[in-house]
């Protein structure tokens, strides 16, 4: 019973999100701005931790490489990369492009311009609040 309620709620939320482009401008700006504020705030708070973690990891990796603790077999590495690429091409197909064409991008940007504008403005505000 609870699973059905969750599925219905998720379906309703996704249906609403799919039709945001047809909502009034104020609704689009509000939804985009709210999501942007939350995203900007989270990014502002977590970016220092992520930058510190990546920096310390790079320094540790360089130290281990300098001391000779890390040894990479280049031939095996290249073979594994070739095998992985081959399996991904077989699985997803070679002719399929992951990038949309220019017409699709233009259509998306023009149909969601208020939502995206609100998101950018909210993201900047959220980053400033953090």
């Amino acid at each position: 019973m609870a699973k059905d309620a969750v599925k219905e709620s998720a379906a309703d939320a996704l249906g609403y999100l799919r039709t945001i482009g047809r909502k009034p401008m104020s609704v689009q700006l509000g939804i985009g701005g709210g999501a942007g504020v939350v995203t900007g705030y989270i990014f502002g708070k977590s970016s220092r931790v992520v930058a510190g973690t990546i920096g310390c990891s790079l320094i540790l990796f360089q130290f281990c490489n300098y001391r000779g603790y890390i040894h990479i077999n280049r031939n095996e590495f290249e073979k594994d990369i070739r095998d992985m690429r081959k399996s991904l091409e077989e699985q997803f197909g070679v002719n399929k492009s992951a990038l949309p064409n220019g017409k699709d991008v233009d259509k998306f940007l023009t149909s969601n311009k208020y939502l995206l504008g609100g998101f950018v403005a909210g993201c900047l505000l959220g980053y400033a609040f953090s």
Side-chain angles (χ1 to χ4, degrees), residues 51-61:
T53 303
I54 291 173
C56 290
S57 299
L58 288 174
I59 290 170
L60 181 65
F61 179 74

Side-chain angles (χ1 to χ4, degrees), residues 63-81:
F63 173 76
C64 291
N65 186 32
Y66 177 74
R67 299 287 291 201
Y69 298 136
I70 299 173
H71 177 72
I72 297 174
N73 186 347
R74 188 176 178 129
N75 293 331
E76 282 293 319
F77 183 73
E78 289 175 355
K79 181 183 170 283
D80 289 343
I81 294 294

Side-chain angles (χ1 to χ4, degrees), residues 75-91:
N75 293 331
E76 282 293 319
F77 183 73
E78 289 175 355
K79 181 183 170 283
D80 289 343
I81 294 294
R82 277 194 303 271
D83 292 343
M84 184 174 55
R85 181 178 179 180
K86 184 179 176 183
S87 68
L88 287 173
E89 285 176 350
E90 288 174 0
Q91 185 175 1

